[in-house]
mmCIF file of all heavy atoms in Angstrom:
data_model
loop_
_atom_site.group_PDB
_atom_site.id
_atom_site.type_symbol
_atom_site.label_atom_id
_atom_site.label_comp_id
_atom_site.label_asym_id
_atom_site.label_seq_id
_atom_site.Cartn_x
_atom_site.Cartn_y
_atom_site.Cartn_z
ATOM 1 N N ILE R 71 13.928 0.425 2.161
ATOM 2 C CA ILE R 71 14.498 -0.910 2.251
ATOM 3 C C ILE R 71 13.636 -2.031 2.198
ATOM 4 O O ILE R 71 13.942 -3.116 2.068
ATOM 5 C CB ILE R 71 15.188 -0.990 3.720
ATOM 6 C CG1 ILE R 71 14.178 -0.795 4.714
ATOM 7 C CG2 ILE R 71 16.365 0.013 3.825
ATOM 8 C CD1 ILE R 71 14.636 -1.109 6.218
ATOM 9 N N SER R 72 12.272 -1.902 2.029
ATOM 10 C CA SER R 72 11.386 -2.887 1.936
ATOM 11 C C SER R 72 10.077 -2.491 1.304
ATOM 12 O O SER R 72 9.704 -1.264 1.283
ATOM 13 C CB SER R 72 11.032 -3.399 3.433
ATOM 14 O OG SER R 72 9.996 -4.296 3.386
ATOM 15 N N SER R 73 9.344 -3.438 0.714
ATOM 16 C CA SER R 73 8.057 -3.193 0.242
ATOM 17 C C SER R 73 6.933 -3.835 1.116
ATOM 18 O O SER R 73 5.732 -4.043 0.672
ATOM 19 C CB SER R 73 7.865 -3.789 -1.224
ATOM 20 O OG SER R 73 8.074 -5.305 -1.114
ATOM 21 N N VAL R 74 7.221 -3.966 2.398
ATOM 22 C CA VAL R 74 6.376 -4.396 3.467
ATOM 23 C C VAL R 74 5.053 -3.589 3.410
ATOM 24 O O VAL R 74 5.033 -2.369 3.234
ATOM 25 C CB VAL R 74 6.973 -4.446 4.802
ATOM 26 C CG1 VAL R 74 7.308 -3.064 5.254
ATOM 27 C CG2 VAL R 74 6.046 -5.110 5.861
ATOM 28 N N PRO R 75 3.943 -4.269 3.571
ATOM 29 C CA PRO R 75 2.536 -3.518 3.637
ATOM 30 C C PRO R 75 2.541 -2.666 4.822
ATOM 31 O O PRO R 75 2.961 -3.028 5.905
ATOM 32 C CB PRO R 75 1.557 -4.584 3.831
ATOM 33 C CG PRO R 75 2.154 -5.797 3.214
ATOM 34 C CD PRO R 75 3.686 -5.640 3.447
ATOM 35 N N ILE R 76 2.039 -1.324 4.704
ATOM 36 C CA ILE R 76 2.117 -0.376 5.648
ATOM 37 C C ILE R 76 0.720 0.287 5.959
ATOM 38 O O ILE R 76 0.166 0.800 4.767
ATOM 39 C CB ILE R 76 3.186 0.690 5.447
ATOM 40 C CG1 ILE R 76 4.533 0.207 5.473
ATOM 41 C CG2 ILE R 76 3.167 1.844 6.712
ATOM 42 C CD1 ILE R 76 5.671 1.157 5.091
ATOM 43 N N ILE R 77 0.226 0.318 7.136
ATOM 44 C CA ILE R 77 -1.030 0.927 7.306
ATOM 45 C C ILE R 77 -0.781 2.241 8.360
ATOM 46 O O ILE R 77 -0.034 2.114 9.251
ATOM 47 C CB ILE R 77 -2.033 0.074 8.199
ATOM 48 C CG1 ILE R 77 -2.495 -1.144 7.216
ATOM 49 C CG2 ILE R 77 -3.264 0.874 8.573
ATOM 50 C CD1 ILE R 77 -3.367 -2.106 7.919
ATOM 51 N N ILE R 78 -1.192 3.434 7.985
ATOM 52 C CA ILE R 78 -0.977 4.682 8.674
ATOM 53 C C ILE R 78 -2.274 4.936 9.536
ATOM 54 O O ILE R 78 -3.351 4.789 9.026
ATOM 55 C CB ILE R 78 -0.801 5.804 7.661
ATOM 56 C CG1 ILE R 78 0.383 5.511 6.697
ATOM 57 C CG2 ILE R 78 -0.590 7.088 8.356
ATOM 58 C CD1 ILE R 78 1.794 5.397 7.375
ATOM 59 N N LEU R 79 -1.920 5.282 10.698
ATOM 60 C CA LEU R 79 -2.976 5.708 11.823
ATOM 61 C C LEU R 79 -2.906 7.210 11.854
ATOM 62 O O LEU R 79 -1.726 7.676 12.168
ATOM 63 C CB LEU R 79 -2.822 4.992 13.050
ATOM 64 C CG LEU R 79 -2.881 3.486 12.961
ATOM 65 C CD1 LEU R 79 -2.671 2.918 14.505
ATOM 66 C CD2 LEU R 79 -3.992 2.836 12.276
ATOM 67 N N THR R 80 -3.939 8.004 11.779
ATOM 68 C CA THR R 80 -3.869 9.345 11.939
ATOM 69 C C THR R 80 -5.103 9.926 12.558
ATOM 70 O O THR R 80 -6.227 9.424 12.421
ATOM 71 C CB THR R 80 -3.813 9.995 10.549
ATOM 72 O OG1 THR R 80 -3.846 11.461 10.818
ATOM 73 C CG2 THR R 80 -4.833 9.729 9.596
ATOM 74 N N ALA R 81 -4.911 10.867 13.423
ATOM 75 C CA ALA R 81 -5.907 11.505 14.220
ATOM 76 C C ALA R 81 -6.398 12.796 13.403
ATOM 77 O O ALA R 81 -7.455 13.396 13.713
ATOM 78 C CB ALA R 81 -5.624 11.877 15.702
ATOM 79 N N LYS R 82 -5.762 13.108 12.422
ATOM 80 C CA LYS R 82 -6.156 14.315 11.666
ATOM 81 C C LYS R 82 -6.919 13.933 10.323
ATOM 82 O O LYS R 82 -6.413 13.200 9.492
ATOM 83 C CB LYS R 82 -4.852 15.061 11.251
ATOM 84 C CG LYS R 82 -4.027 15.461 12.338
ATOM 85 C CD LYS R 82 -2.797 16.207 11.724
ATOM 86 C CE LYS R 82 -1.866 16.645 12.893
ATOM 87 N NZ LYS R 82 -0.637 17.417 12.372
ATOM 88 N N ASP R 83 -8.074 14.305 10.222
ATOM 89 C CA ASP R 83 -9.054 14.092 9.133
ATOM 90 C C ASP R 83 -8.806 15.123 8.082
ATOM 91 O O ASP R 83 -9.694 15.984 7.870
ATOM 92 C CB ASP R 83 -10.484 14.026 9.645
ATOM 93 C CG ASP R 83 -11.376 13.498 8.533
ATOM 94 O OD1 ASP R 83 -10.860 13.014 7.518
ATOM 95 O OD2 ASP R 83 -12.585 13.561 8.663
ATOM 96 N N SER R 84 -7.768 15.040 7.381
ATOM 97 C CA SER R 84 -7.319 16.043 6.482
ATOM 98 C C SER R 84 -6.756 15.397 5.243
ATOM 99 O O SER R 84 -6.063 14.384 5.440
ATOM 100 C CB SER R 84 -6.592 17.209 6.905
ATOM 101 O OG SER R 84 -5.094 16.635 7.139
ATOM 102 N N GLU R 85 -7.183 16.030 4.081
ATOM 103 C CA GLU R 85 -6.649 15.244 2.769
ATOM 104 C C GLU R 85 -5.151 15.224 2.719
ATOM 105 O O GLU R 85 -4.500 14.416 2.212
ATOM 106 C CB GLU R 85 -7.223 15.999 1.612
ATOM 107 C CG GLU R 85 -6.802 15.374 0.294
ATOM 108 C CD GLU R 85 -7.495 16.127 -0.953
ATOM 109 O OE1 GLU R 85 -8.440 16.793 -0.690
ATOM 110 O OE2 GLU R 85 -7.032 15.818 -1.994
ATOM 111 N N SER R 86 -4.391 16.246 3.166
ATOM 112 C CA SER R 86 -3.063 16.387 3.112
ATOM 113 C C SER R 86 -2.341 15.252 3.925
ATOM 114 O O SER R 86 -1.359 14.638 3.384
ATOM 115 C CB SER R 86 -2.643 17.712 3.787
ATOM 116 O OG SER R 86 -2.794 17.879 5.106
ATOM 117 N N ASP R 87 -2.878 14.946 5.110
ATOM 118 C CA ASP R 87 -2.198 13.697 5.870
ATOM 119 C C ASP R 87 -2.504 12.530 5.135
ATOM 120 O O ASP R 87 -1.520 11.612 5.035
ATOM 121 C CB ASP R 87 -2.887 13.602 7.245
ATOM 122 C CG ASP R 87 -2.398 14.867 8.167
ATOM 123 O OD1 ASP R 87 -1.120 15.075 8.252
ATOM 124 O OD2 ASP R 87 -3.258 15.389 8.776
ATOM 125 N N HIS R 88 -3.652 12.289 4.563
ATOM 126 C CA HIS R 88 -3.879 11.028 3.844
ATOM 127 C C HIS R 88 -2.948 10.876 2.616
ATOM 128 O O HIS R 88 -2.297 9.980 2.370
ATOM 129 C CB HIS R 88 -5.326 10.927 3.355
ATOM 130 C CG HIS R 88 -6.326 11.081 4.548
ATOM 131 N ND1 HIS R 88 -7.603 11.482 4.273
ATOM 132 C CD2 HIS R 88 -6.221 10.782 5.709
ATOM 133 C CE1 HIS R 88 -8.192 11.532 5.374
ATOM 134 N NE2 HIS R 88 -7.444 11.209 6.336
ATOM 135 N N MET R 89 -2.920 11.981 1.889
ATOM 136 C CA MET R 89 -2.077 12.059 0.695
ATOM 137 C C MET R 89 -0.543 11.823 0.912
ATOM 138 O O MET R 89 0.181 11.260 0.183
ATOM 139 C CB MET R 89 -2.349 13.283 -0.198
ATOM 140 C CG MET R 89 -3.729 13.409 -0.643
ATOM 141 S SD MET R 89 -4.230 11.928 -1.688
ATOM 142 C CE MET R 89 -5.249 10.989 -0.656
ATOM 143 N N LYS R 90 -0.019 12.483 2.071
ATOM 144 C CA LYS R 90 1.318 12.317 2.391
ATOM 145 C C LYS R 90 1.612 10.862 2.742
ATOM 146 O O LYS R 90 2.627 10.360 2.375
ATOM 147 C CB LYS R 90 1.628 13.162 3.668
ATOM 148 C CG LYS R 90 1.801 14.730 3.371
ATOM 149 C CD LYS R 90 2.101 15.537 4.597
ATOM 150 C CE LYS R 90 2.271 16.948 4.327
ATOM 151 N NZ LYS R 90 2.437 17.671 5.498
#
Side-chain angles (χ1 to χ4, degrees):
I71 61 173
S72 175
S73 59
V74 63
I76 300 174
I77 297 178
I78 301 292
L79 307 181
T80 173
K82 298 181 180 179
D83 187 7
S84 70
E85 183 174 349
S86 62
D87 286 313
H88 304 160
M89 294 305 100
K90 283 180 182 178

